[in-house]
Amino acid sequence: MAEHYLRDLQEIDETQVAVVGGKAAHLGGLSRIEGIRVPAGFCVTTDAFRRVMAEAPSLDDLLDQLSRVNPDDRDAVRTLSARIRRTIEEIAIPGDLAAAITGALARHGEQAAYAVRSSATAEDLPTASFAGQQDTYLNVVGPTEILQHVSRCWASLFTERAVTYRRRSGIDHRTVHMAVVVQRMVFPQASGILFTADPVTGNRKVSTVDAGLGLGEALVSGLVNPDVFKVREGEVVARAIAAKQRAVHALPAGGTQEVAIDATRQEQPALTDEQVVRLVRLGRRIEAHFGRPQDIEWCLDGDDFQIVQSRPITTLFPIPETGDQENHVYVSVGHQQMMTDAMKPLGLSMWQLTAMAPMHEAGGRLFVDATRRLASPASRAGLLDMVGRGDPLVRDALETVLDRDDFVPSLPDAGPGGPPPGRTSAPIETDPAIVTELIERSRTSIAALERDIRTKSGPELFDFLLEAFEEHKRVLGDPLSMQVIMAGMEATWWLNDKLQEWLGEKNAADTLTLSAPDNITSEMGLALLDVADAIRPHPEVVAFLEGVEDDGFLDELAKLPGGTEARDAIEAYLDRYGMRCVGEIDITRPRWRERPSTLVPVILDNVRHFEPGAAEHRFEEGRQKALKQEQDVLARLRALPDGERKADETKRMIDRVRTFIGYREYPKYGIVSRYFVYKQALMEEAERLVHAGVLPEKEDIFYLTFRELHDVVRSNQVDGRLVQQRKDAFRSYQALTPPRVLTSDGEAVTGAYRRDDVPDGALVGLPVSAGTVEGRARVILDMAEADLQAGDILITTYTDPSWSPLFVSVAGLVTEVGGLMTHGAVIAREYGLPAVVGVDQATRLIRDGQRIRVHGTDGYVEILS
């Protein structure tokens, strides 16, 4: 009996994706929502597809060949997928299945017009959008035609696009099955797409309606521009009406054609405002049913809307969950920490447990809720000033939100309290011994952690770690440490402001801070030049390193002449800096100590591009430049009215900035050093769980929060489904770009530089390290792929301390994220590299290999070729 080959749309819901595919499951769900009309029809199930595929034994062989083809070999993919499609289309549909389909047509109207639509089992998952991967055929008339188009839908599972997409997404062709929806055709006056959240800004309170005349194909294929309406709280708040010259209409005998639109109708909106508002109300109902914003295809039939598809909008950035209905304004932590990639659950929860402020997770990123501080005028000014000095785009984004009527509530100022945050009562003396003492305190604390954690395992380890996190926060929040950091930053700001006012010098502090002492991050870049010095004299070691593929190479080195010295140099470097890596605030990222091969390309670049003794030479050269600039500035000040006083004050500030600015990088080094100790202990637990058969692999612990991992260690049980869901979610988060500022309405606010002193066509950013440089742009997203030549300009999304070794061999720096005091900016100044940070979309707008000019003093980048 052929019953299991067909399902009526009315009998289907979202739980049946495996049987009817994504599109049909959604349509079935839609048809059950009160007040939502879906064109009637039925679905030919995946069982029918499997049965037909089994009719052609040659398909197995073709699918085997397809799985072996390199997805980049376009010709082979094209040829094979065409053969598979032809084979499927030529299979005769078995008699009982054909009879079942024609029987269903008789019930729904045998000679009526139908849309025949593909519905694959891997379609429209929350984590992957297959929009447009498979085919839809409109206005198909008569049983023979319909059977033929069902075969075509099955075959469309193997279009070149669909095959390539699956390979890239790691989806096995054999696991995807095709169902086919056969639905009564609607002949609409107008049709289009409704987004229940604004797809551009992400605002969940704004719906966007795209509308055109006739069938929706014209819009989807890009033949015409739609009318666009925006609706907020039941009213149209914006509209753009397009001139409509063409539409797609159905032909009586089947098929569709383009038609020209009568001149009198061309300027008419496709929908009235009343219809737009009514459509959005239906959209809200559908959104409530599926529990997330939807991208909905609709048709206007008479005066009634029919819904022909609904799927989740996969590009929206998620909103932190608060459980209240209040307005919130969130500021991205990643933009302050120079790490905007998605983090895994263990990484997120460890940062939350060790951070100084409460943090909310969304889309694999962390955010701080700034609503309270923005609400009262006094704390608002301090917050805007602080974030503005860090990243003017964040400040502008916050001001944009504040300009909106009443989004942020106004609270009265708290009464006269102590000093405002960030300022401490007694200023500290300019004394290098203070920095030495702070570094010693940090080292002692880490040594104690390493000593005490050795004996801990199982649940006891987790109790120990919770105490260790308190010590971690105590060291981070040490008032003296905070004072030193603020003193260094305030002295920098003072020098920049005063020397611009007195001498017209822009960013004077940049040169004055060259080669400041005690900067652990810039020392790390120079120390890798010393490692290159130990390797350069040994040609066999150099040749061996050029072929390194994996991380076991250190043991091999000792067998070569000069290899022991080389290994000792690399080992000593790893002892001091091996806890670092790209994205190091995420504890789950592999550290240099765990993956030393990451450093090999950088070491080889240093061997090639530098002379022996380069580290000392670079440092000394910077020190001399700073000294010369200091003498020059003081001499020019003394020539001014009241010059002696100005020169004395400036000299005091220069000494202060050079004493304290290097320490700015140390707390992060301390955090990451502790993180590596925590990680090694947790990885030992993971190994025990793998041995006990609780986990399939050690890295699975990365997809659990700290508390969940604690529970797993206590109970020796893990929910494998949860781990898999987290892996899928993490993959989908990686594709999202986190906003600098995010509101509880879901709106991503980017902020803008409001400047008119920049040449046309230049990319605007923040000047963080003075000087102008011209050279070849190298767009590098992964440090291990870096292949730099002297004079190149590094373009990347963000740089955390792990990038510092690359800074010694480049001539300039451009990043998408960053501010005046973030790591990249501090190190660029130390090394004297012209740098512009916070350049929106720099890695997309600048192409690898282009010639560019970086204006580090004025904060913009010109593309020259």
Side-chain angles (χ1 to χ4, degrees), residues 5-7 19-20 41-53 84-94 96-105 114-120 134-159 177-183:
Y5 292 142
L6 293 196
R7 290 279 165 88
V19 183
V20 297
F42 59 91
C43 176
V44 183
T45 66
T46 52
D47 287 340
F49 172 76
R50 274 195 285 271
R51 165 141 179 224
V52 169
M53 294 288 275
I84 293 171
R85 288 200 302 279
R86 209 167 42 248
T87 308
I88 296 173
E89 285 184 32
E90 285 165 1
I91 299 168
I93 295 182
D96 56 338
L97 174 54
I101 294 173
T102 47
L105 288 172
Y114 288 89
V116 183
R117 314 171 70 193
S118 313
S119 179
Q134 281 91 33
D135 294 353
T136 283
Y137 302 96
L138 297 178
N139 200 29
V140 185
V141 179
T144 317
E145 284 287 306
I146 284 170
L147 288 170
Q148 193 189 350
H149 283 85
V150 168
S151 290
R152 280 193 188 165
C153 281
W154 289 333
S156 76
L157 194 56
F158 294 96
T159 59
H177 302 297
M178 179 66 87
V180 181
V181 178
V182 180
Q183 239 178 329

Side-chain angles (χ1 to χ4, degrees), residues 43-364:
C43 176
V44 183
T45 66
T46 52
D47 287 340
F49 172 76
R50 274 195 285 271
R51 165 141 179 224
V52 169
M53 294 288 275
E55 300 272 326
S58 63
L59 277 171
D60 253 1
D61 179 42
L62 289 170
L63 284 174
D64 279 341
Q65 290 180 47
L66 188 61
S67 63
R68 286 196 296 270
V69 166
N70 178 341
D72 294 326
D73 183 349
R74 296 276 299 274
D75 290 338
V77 171
R78 186 177 302 127
T79 313
L80 265 173
S81 53
R83 277 179 63 193
I84 293 171
R85 288 200 302 279
R86 209 167 42 248
T87 308
I88 296 173
E89 285 184 32
E90 285 165 1
I91 299 168
I93 295 182
D96 56 338
L97 174 54
I101 294 173
T102 47
L105 288 172
R107 286 196 299 283
H108 284 282
E110 189 168 296
Q111 285 307 313
Y114 288 89
V116 183
R117 314 171 70 193
S118 313
S119 179
T121 53
E123 244 185 339
D124 296 340
L125 306 173
T127 52
S129 170
F130 287 74
Q133 293 289 322
Q134 281 91 33
D135 294 353
T136 283
Y137 302 96
L138 297 178
N139 200 29
V140 185
V141 179
T144 317
E145 284 287 306
I146 284 170
L147 288 170
Q148 193 189 350
H149 283 85
V150 168
S151 290
R152 280 193 188 165
C153 281
W154 289 333
S156 76
L157 194 56
F158 294 96
T159 59
E160 192 187 337
R161 264 204 1 242
V163 165
T164 312
Y165 185 90
R166 288 197 292 272
R167 280 295 290 273
R168 297 250 154 87
S169 308
I171 296 167
D172 177 0
H173 300 303
R174 291 169 193 277
T175 61
V176 184
H177 302 297
M178 179 66 87
V180 181
V181 178
V182 180
Q183 239 178 329
R184 280 294 291 261
M185 185 68 195
V186 181
F187 299 104
Q189 292 90 302
S191 55
I193 297 168
L194 155 64
F195 295 98
T196 64
D198 187 323
V200 180
T201 67
N203 195 326
R204 309 303 201 264
K205 296 227 171 117
V206 173
S207 293
T208 303
V209 175
D210 288 7
L213 297 174
L215 291 167
E217 292 307 290
L219 291 188
V220 178
S221 64
L223 177 68
V224 297
N225 289 329
D227 293 343
V228 181
F229 302 87
K230 289 192 187 293
V231 176
R232 189 185 179 113
E233 283 155 7
E235 95 184 84
V236 176
V237 290
R239 70 173 69 68
I241 306 305
K244 293 173 244 343
Q245 280 145 0
R246 316 193 67 68
V248 173
H249 282 271
L251 293 168
T256 60
Q257 78 173 134
E258 271 182 48
V259 293
I261 291 173
D262 181 356
T264 55
R265 288 247 25 215
Q266 289 187 4
E267 304 293 332
Q268 291 284 313
L271 295 177
T272 66
D273 280 9
E274 180 275 328
Q275 286 170 326
V276 170
V277 170
R278 188 151 46 97
L279 175 61
V280 167
R281 264 205 302 276
L282 296 176
R284 289 284 175 223
R285 220 177 257 186
I286 294 170
E287 176 181 68
H289 173 83
F290 289 118
R292 51 192 298 177
Q294 298 287 302
D295 157 355
I296 298 166
E297 289 177 31
W298 56 269
C299 295
L300 179 66
D301 181 22
D303 193 34
D304 247 340
F305 287 103
Q306 298 250 22
I307 304 297
V308 294
Q309 178 138 328
S310 185
R311 56 172 167 250
I313 308 177
T314 52
T315 53
L316 296 175
F317 200 87
I319 309 172
E321 285 175 25
T322 52
D324 63 27
Q325 293 303 305
E326 307 293 310
N327 287 348
H328 294 270
V329 182
Y330 300 100
V331 177
S332 158
V333 172
H335 285 81
Q336 296 160 354
Q337 288 297 338
M338 293 294 90
M339 157 63 182
T340 50
D341 300 351
M343 291 167 73
K344 297 190 178 109
L346 185 64
L348 290 163
S349 66
M350 294 286 280
W351 193 260
Q352 284 171 307
L353 287 165
T354 51
M356 304 302 285
M359 290 181 183
H360 306 267
E361 184 273 329

Side-chain angles (χ1 to χ4, degrees), residues 457-637:
S457 68
E460 191 196 358
L461 169 69
F462 286 80
D463 299 335
F464 171 80
L465 282 173
L466 287 170
E467 288 172 34
F469 297 162
E470 292 312 307
E471 165 67 2
H472 180 122
K473 289 196 269 197
R474 192 192 63 71
V475 173
L476 257 191
D478 181 336
L480 185 61
S481 174
M482 298 290 207
Q483 273 184 291
V484 166
I485 291 170
M486 283 314 293
M489 297 209 291
E490 282 168 356
T492 306
W493 296 331
W494 189 94
L495 285 168
N496 281 339
D497 293 347
K498 291 295 187 194
L499 295 180
Q500 174 136 24
E501 181 191 328
W502 292 337
L503 299 174
E505 285 258 336
K506 278 188 189 171
N507 301 355
D510 293 2
T511 311
L512 295 167
T513 52
L514 285 171
S515 300
D518 293 317
N519 186 322
I520 188 85
T521 311
S522 59
E523 285 166 13
M524 174 170 86
L526 297 175
L528 207 56
L529 289 173
D530 291 336
V531 172
D533 286 354
I535 289 168
R536 196 179 290 105
H538 308 294
E540 287 175 59
V541 172
V542 174
F544 168 76
L545 288 176
E546 275 163 356
V548 162
E549 292 291 323
D550 61 49
D551 293 307
F553 71 93
L554 285 170
D555 301 334
E556 300 291 304
L557 269 180
K559 301 172 190 167
L560 300 169
T564 314
E565 286 162 67
R567 190 188 63 189
D568 291 349
I570 296 173
E571 284 286 355
Y573 187 84
L574 289 172
D575 286 343
R576 186 148 165 77
Y577 304 110
M579 75 296 285
R580 308 219 88 148
C581 66
V582 173
E584 60 193 7
I585 72 168
D586 181 351
I587 199 168
T588 71
R589 291 286 193 100
R591 312 281 136 180
W592 290 343
R593 176 45 93 189
E594 296 170 303
R595 202 173 281 175
S597 58
T598 314
L599 291 172
V600 170
V602 193
I603 293 172
L604 289 169
D605 274 349
N606 287 350
V607 168
R608 281 191 287 269
H609 300 319
F610 292 96
E611 297 294 309
E616 199 176 331
H617 174 74
R618 290 285 298 259
F619 189 79
E620 189 46 36
E621 193 181 30
R623 215 176 59 81
Q624 292 300 334
K625 266 191 197 158
L627 200 60
K628 186 177 166 310
Q629 169 84 338
E630 176 181 327
Q631 289 162 346
D632 175 55
V633 161
L634 296 176
R636 284 162 61 199
L637 285 171

Side-chain angles (χ1 to χ4, degrees), residues 749-770:
V749 193
T750 35
Y753 294 106
R754 307 193 185 276
R755 288 174 47 191
D756 47 18
D757 58 343
V758 170
D760 283 348
L763 308 180
V764 187
L766 187 64
V768 294
S769 183

